[in-house]
Amino acid sequence: MSVAEDLAAVRARTLALVEPLSTEDLERQIDPLMSPLVWDLAHIAAYEDLWLVHRHGGRELLHGELAAVYDAFETPRSVRGQIELLDHDGALDYLGQVRQRTLEVLDERGPDEVLHELVLRHELQHTETMLQAMRLGGLVVPELDGPPPLVASPGWVDVPAGELLMGSENGGFAYDNELPRHPRQVDGFRISRRPVSVAELTGDGDPDTPAVHVSWDDADAYARARGARLPTEAEWEHAARLGLLGDTGLVWEWTSTEFTGYPGFVAHPYPEYSEVFFDSGYRVLRGGAWTTHPRVAGPSFRNWDLPQRRQIFAGLRLVEGQR
């Protein structure tokens, strides 16, 4: 598809997600941990206007007076439910006006391979964040029906030792924290064929589906109680690239690795995407969930969150024995 078609498809997905919701649910702060959904919608618009209209097209921001309100660092989640925001209609109107400007710039200047992909994936990632808020608020949308059942049989698979070229492969879009690609020597290990199920963790839901909304703290404790551990990030990627992991993409999978930059890391296109979170206790998740768009969740994509949080659609996979 063309860039314009990609932009349209992603936007249609976003609008379809919120279409069944009431104005009240969109405008209230469902949970203190999450943003009001109208903040996310207007943030998507502000981000697109900044990168595809202002930075790429050289135009003034459509609503420069709103830049700080819809900047994730200038206005943290803790205050987004307490300040004046665009209402439901205003947020949708902002999305529409920015998109018109984006298409005008696209006609004038053509696409920027990095910036357009950045904006597309940003919107897809924010729709997953919005689904987290909806889940916390008990809102009913089809996307939250839950992960599909596990297919792979239980048990362990042997992963041979070898050198992993870790990180994004050359030639495509990559986030700064996926680069530079670099060699890692990985010792042999055994990893579970599939994520831990609801039945194994005795959680709520279909017993044949993967456990979800598991914090890193609980995942680590469960692994230790089983005489196992969580995989390192390198182990997870090594096994994934060898095609040895079953049932990936059903839930995000915690690793034991603290989020930091790869050797030779360079922030791009702005430090706030990754660098400000490095070495601050965040743990890496891999693989993607049923709520994650495939465009986002490749084998080198790194997600991260704090170890006590459980709003993310996260589960776990075990590695046998000590590292």
Side-chain angles (χ1 to χ4, degrees):
M1 292 195 296
S2 69
V3 170
E5 289 170 330
D6 281 342
L7 288 165
V10 169
R11 180 57 46 78
R13 184 175 182 269
T14 302
L15 296 178
L17 180 68
V18 299
E19 193 277 331
L21 303 181
S22 68
T23 293
E24 179 186 0
D25 283 334
L26 286 165
E27 293 181 358
R28 69 186 175 98
Q29 188 169 24
I30 291 171
D31 187 277
L33 185 61
M34 309 303 292
S35 309
L37 296 172
V38 288
W39 186 93
D40 286 285
L41 292 174
H43 170 72
I44 288 169
Y47 192 92
E48 180 176 322
D49 198 41
L50 173 65
W51 289 103
L52 299 188
V53 181
H54 178 61
R55 299 279 172 85
H56 181 52
R59 299 189 183 188
E60 293 295 318
L61 294 173
L62 177 61
H63 288 300
E65 75 282 3
L66 298 178
V69 173
Y70 295 108
D71 182 287
F73 288 89
E74 293 288 338
T75 306
R77 289 183 182 182
S78 59
V79 304
R80 292 173 194 167
Q82 305 165 22
I83 61 174
E84 185 176 353
L85 302 173
L86 294 175
D87 63 13
H88 180 186
D89 289 339
L92 293 179
D93 186 55
Y94 191 16
L95 282 167
Q97 290 184 52
V98 169
R99 178 51 51 87
Q100 181 59 43
R101 286 157 55 86
T102 294
L103 294 176
E104 291 170 0
V105 170
L106 184 62
D107 284 341
E108 293 168 3
R109 299 181 60 93
D112 180 290
E113 180 180 345
V114 172
L115 293 185
H116 281 84
E117 189 64 26
L118 176 73
V119 168
L120 285 164
R121 296 196 190 196
H122 174 266
E123 183 163 343
L124 292 170
Q125 288 176 261
H126 260 277
T127 53
E128 183 166 353
T129 302
M130 292 166 71
L131 284 167
Q132 293 173 17
M134 293 177 201
R135 183 85 157 201
L136 287 170
L139 303 182
V140 178
V141 296
E143 289 84 352
L144 291 177
D145 284 346
L150 294 159
V151 175
S153 60
W156 303 91
V157 60
D158 292 319
V159 183
E163 184 178 84
L164 163 69
L165 285 177
M166 191 171 185
S168 181
E169 300 178 62
N170 294 330
F173 174 88
Y175 288 104
D176 57 4
N177 63 63
E178 298 177 65
L179 297 170
R181 201 171 194 214
H182 60 287
R184 292 273 188 99
Q185 188 62 38
V186 181
D187 294 335
F189 61 99
R190 300 183 79 202
I191 194 167
S192 54
R193 291 191 179 95
R194 67 186 201 181
V196 171
S197 70
V198 168
E200 291 168 313
L201 200 64
T202 64
D204 295 329
D206 184 336
D208 296 322
T209 61
V212 68
H213 296 302
V214 181
S215 70
W216 185 92
D217 288 335
D218 287 347
D220 181 62
Y222 175 82
R224 290 175 186 275
R226 290 282 306 272
R229 61 180 174 84
L230 300 177
T232 68
E233 185 179 13
E235 286 172 338
W236 193 98
E237 186 170 330
H238 183 50
R241 290 193 181 278
L242 291 175
L244 298 176
L245 301 183
D247 291 322
T248 56
L250 301 187
V251 289
W252 288 102
E253 299 180 25
W254 287 110
T255 74
S256 62
T257 303
E258 185 175 359
F259 187 51
T260 193
Y262 290 158
F265 169 84
V266 176
H268 177 79
Y270 54 97
E272 291 81 9
Y273 180 74
S274 302
E275 192 171 22
V276 295
F277 299 100
F278 288 166
D279 307 309
S280 301
Y282 290 85
R283 299 286 178 160
V284 175
L285 304 101
R286 290 300 199 101
W290 85 97
T291 51
T292 310
H293 194 280
R295 191 172 196 137
V296 173
S300 64
F301 181 80
R302 309 172 76 197
N303 198 356
W304 66 93
D305 211 330
L306 291 170
Q308 70 271 23
R309 289 186 180 167
R310 61 178 69 250
Q311 87 289 349
I312 196 167
F313 300 103
L316 69 151
R317 187 187 299 263
L318 302 179
V319 167
E320 193 174 52
Q322 297 303 308
R323 198 173 38 203

